[in-house]
């Protein structure tokens, strides 16, 4: 397994262009299952999770071709298989995004239940509640969810028990091809939900209200292929912003909608970081000292759980103490033990981490435990004294395109050792 070695202590300087968003690319690939024909997808990041969703839709009968540097052509004419096997699903929870489109198009979907996950239990009961409200019969046996409908799905008023991003996406995709109107209340407002709704509308769907808590979907008889340019990855952008801040650097984070990183920009400003927006570029300059500021994660437009670990790395060098509260996932503090190995002073009590800023972090061998935890370790390593070796970087590769190339272009000293042997 590859490891990444980072020699810390250099302020990042320069500009970095943000790649396409992983969490909108995945549902966009899933949505191609809804209509036969040839789709053109652009600004798709080259990531492990993207390769996994491509394998999954290929399993269902899509033909996927790379098209230029960051594009794909998906021909979904031959979709005829409705089963996603455990071997594929176990590597990525977002595989369950195939459920809604397949049951809507083929009347049947059999997808292995995703198991537990490093950051929490992550059930999919809300996905299933929604599909069942639309008329799908749901059976769970032998570790698989089997969703089945005779004829077409039928629109319904659905109130989500909690805010779920992929849950709303699944229901929205299924409802796009249902008979009649579906209303989803208490819907997730994440930009990736809006991006998916825009793509579905380009396919001929009739969806309004995405980005608000109430989404209204007028079902249509059929959808057609479309072309889409994926949005930029707000979590990658936020990660580079935090990296610029912790190293006292000066970085232009380019190509991202500032509204989508509004909560992180606001928080960084409170911490004494200069954050200036200029169109789709965000200029970030680290301050003299890092001011400790509490944060509580929340669904969009609140502070994203996907930025909690990176923010904690920054707070570990703050001039004082703060509390970071995680409200979305029950086990998303696994980076704490690794940050402590680098000299951070953090204790966890229930949903909150108490971070007492230290004067310096020191490089150490650490282990990535999930995607955003590994980003947090990389950020801490950039500011630490000496060398940090991060193992299990396949987690990082699931969500950050060309991470070492991008960091190197900003002046970081970073190298990957394939297979982990120095
Ligand atoms: N939940 C349920 N039942 C459900 C669905 C969700 O109880 O049926 C709970 C979850 O266990 C969690 C909360 O609701 O406690 C929110 O989960 P959500 O469904 O919103 O998460 P997700 O859709 O599985 C997406 C992103 C995650 C991101 C979360 C929250 C994708 C592919 N994944 O996951 O991204 O953390 O929303 O914003 O879109 C990442 O990129 O590193 C990542 C984990």
């Amino acid at each position: 397994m590859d490891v990444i070695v980072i020699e810390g202590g250099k302020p990042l300087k320069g500009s970095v262009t943000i790649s396409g968003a992983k969490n909108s690319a995945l549902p966009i690939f899933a949505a191609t299952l809804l209509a036969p024909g040839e789709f053109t997808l652009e600004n798709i990041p080259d990531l492990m999770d993207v390769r996994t969703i491509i394998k999954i839709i290929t399993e269902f009968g899509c033909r996927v071709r790379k098209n230029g540097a960051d594009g794909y052509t998906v021909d979904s004419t031959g979709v005829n298989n409705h089963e996603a096997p455990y071997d594929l699903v176990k590597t990525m929870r977002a595989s369950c995004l195939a459920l809604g489109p397949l049951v809507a198009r083929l009347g049947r979907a059999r997808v292995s239940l995703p198991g537990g996950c490093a950051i929490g239990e992550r059930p999919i009961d809300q996905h299933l509640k929604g599909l069942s409200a639309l008329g799908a019969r749901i059976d769970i046996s032998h570790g698989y969810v089997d969703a089945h409908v005779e004829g077409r799905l039928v629109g319904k008023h659905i109130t989500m028990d909690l805010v779920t991003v992929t849950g709303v996406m699944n229901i929205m995709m299924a409802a796009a091809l249902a008979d009649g109107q579906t209303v989803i209340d208490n819907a997730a407002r994440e930009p990736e939900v809006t991006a998916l709704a825009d793509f579905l509308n380009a396919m001929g769907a009739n969806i309004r209200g995405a980005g608000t808590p109430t989404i209204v979907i007028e079902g249509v008889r059929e959808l057609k292929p479309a072309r889409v340019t994926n949005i930029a990855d707000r979590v990658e952008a936020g990660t580079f912003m935090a990296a610029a801040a912790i190293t006292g650097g000066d970085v232009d984070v380019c190509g991202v909608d500032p509204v989508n990183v509004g909560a992180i920009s606001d928080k960084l400003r409170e911490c004494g970081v200069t954050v200036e927006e200029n169109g789709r570029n965000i200029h970030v300059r680290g301050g003299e000292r890092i001011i400790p500021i509490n944060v509580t994660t929340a669904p969009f437009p609140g502070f994203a759980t996907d930025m909690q670990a990176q923010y904690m790395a920054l707070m570990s060098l703050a001039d004082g103490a703060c509390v970071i509260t995680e409200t979305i996932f029950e086990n998303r503090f696994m980076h704490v033990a690794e940050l402590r190995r680098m000299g951070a002073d953090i204790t966890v009590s229930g949903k909150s981490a108490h971070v007492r800023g230290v004067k310096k972090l020191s490089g150490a061998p650490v282990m990535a435990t999930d995607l955003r935890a590994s980003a947090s370790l990389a950020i801490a390593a950039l500011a630490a004294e000496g060398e940090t070796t991060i193992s299990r970087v396949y987690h990082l590769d699931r969500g950050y395109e060309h991470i070492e190339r991008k960091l190197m272009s900003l002046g970081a000293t970073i190298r990957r050792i394939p297979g982990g042997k120095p």
Side-chain angles (χ1 to χ4, degrees):
M1 277 185 276
D2 295 2
V3 304
I4 280 182
V5 183
I6 298 178
E7 173 79 41
K10 291 195 180 146
L12 299 187
K13 286 198 166 33
S15 71
V16 61
T17 300
I18 298 307
S19 300
K22 165 177 85 74
N23 290 349
S24 48
L26 301 177
I28 283 171
F29 274 103
T32 65
L33 294 166
L34 280 164
E38 196 168 283
F39 294 79
T40 304
L41 316 185
E42 287 162 356
N43 200 28
I44 304 297
D46 183 16
L47 299 171
M48 199 66 89
D49 278 8
V50 167
R51 276 171 240 143
T52 304
I53 194 85
I54 289 174
K55 273 193 205 150
I56 287 170
I57 65 168
T58 303
E59 179 84 17
F60 294 136
C62 290
R63 291 171 54 189
V64 184
R65 269 195 340 265
K66 190 100 174 77
N67 188 0
D70 61 3
Y72 287 90
T73 304
V74 179
D75 185 345
S76 57
T77 310
V79 168
N80 55 6
N81 176 22
H82 60 257
E83 181 160 328
Y86 176 64
D87 278 351
L88 282 176
V89 175
K90 73 175 183 205
T91 62
M92 189 181 71
R93 304 184 53 77
S95 315
C96 65
L97 282 167
L99 269 172
L102 280 182
V103 75
R105 177 158 164 202
L106 300 179
R108 177 122 194 243
R110 190 165 185 270
V111 176
S112 167
L113 264 178
C117 165
I119 61 176
E121 202 178 310
R122 302 181 78 180
I124 59 163
D125 57 298
Q126 297 299 303
H127 303 229
L128 302 182
K129 166 182 153 169
L131 296 177
S132 154
L134 298 178
R137 208 187 62 224
I138 308 283
D139 295 309
I140 297 181
S141 60
H142 307 294
Y144 279 77
V145 179
D146 205 326
H148 193 266
V149 64
E150 297 294 339
R152 292 169 63 84
L153 297 167
V154 179
K156 199 70 189 262
H157 194 127
I158 300 164
T159 301
M160 309 300 291
D161 295 346
L162 47 81
V163 175
T164 155
V165 177
T166 50
V168 159
M169 290 171 167
N170 235 334
I171 297 167
M172 204 163 66
M173 289 189 279
L177 271 186
D179 280 340
Q181 185 184 73
T182 298
V183 178
I184 309 176
D185 269 328
N186 196 24
R189 290 183 277 165
E190 270 64 6
E192 295 75 20
V193 174
T194 310
L196 174 63
D198 290 345
F199 179 50
L200 293 169
N201 282 340
M203 291 170 62
N206 183 351
I207 302 174
R208 51 187 200 278
T212 77
T214 302
I215 301 179
V216 181
I217 304 143
E218 309 291 345
V220 296
R221 292 295 300 176
E222 57 180 26
L223 295 165
K224 57 183 188 328
R227 166 185 287 268
V228 66
T229 302
N230 185 23
I231 60 170
D233 196 309
R234 64 194 167 102
V235 185
E236 187 197 6
T239 302
F240 277 101
M241 290 165 74
I246 199 172
T247 59
D250 191 330
V251 174
D252 283 308
V253 177
C254 303
V256 67
D257 185 345
V259 172
N260 294 350
V261 290
I264 176 80
S265 299
D266 289 350
K267 208 37 90 176
L268 290 180
R269 287 188 189 109
E270 286 183 64
C271 298
V273 178
T274 303
V275 181
E276 292 159 346
E277 292 155 11
N278 180 10
R280 298 180 77 80
N281 296 343
I282 304 174
H283 181 217
V284 184
R285 201 171 57 248
E288 285 289 294
R289 61 186 269 263
I290 301 167
I291 303 165
I293 303 287
N294 295 347
V295 83
T296 299
T297 61
F300 191 84
F303 191 95
T305 173
D306 289 344
M307 279 302 302
Q308 178 259 108
Q310 301 90 314
Y311 184 77
M312 191 181 296
L314 177 67
M315 287 302 102
S316 69
L317 282 176
D319 191 3
C322 71
V323 179
I324 298 178
T325 305
E326 170 60 51
T327 68
I328 309 293
F329 292 110
E330 63 274 21
N331 192 26
R332 213 173 195 182
F333 281 141
M334 288 199 307
H335 41 285
V336 169
E338 301 300 308
L339 288 173
R340 275 204 215 116
R341 304 192 63 254
M342 300 177 71
D345 182 359
I346 308 170
T347 44
V348 174
S349 160
K351 291 180 165 192
S352 294
H354 298 255
V355 187
R356 289 161 294 274
V358 293
K359 291 272 177 266
K360 68 177 176 71
L361 295 172
S362 57
V366 289
M367 194 172 74
T369 47
D370 74 73
L371 168 55
R372 307 305 171 188
S374 44
S376 143
L377 299 178
I379 287 174
L382 289 167
E385 245 178 40
E387 203 171 81
T388 297
T389 305
I390 307 177
S391 55
R392 301 203 178 166
V393 289
Y394 55 85
H395 287 296
L396 202 58
D397 295 338
R398 287 187 46 214
Y400 291 91
E401 186 181 49
H402 309 317
I403 181 81
E404 9 6 331
R405 203 190 298 168
K406 286 184 178 183
L407 284 172
M408 254 189 295
S409 77
L410 296 174
T413 304
I414 173 169
R415 66 183 196 280
R416 177 182 292 251
I417 304 175
K421 294 194 184 66

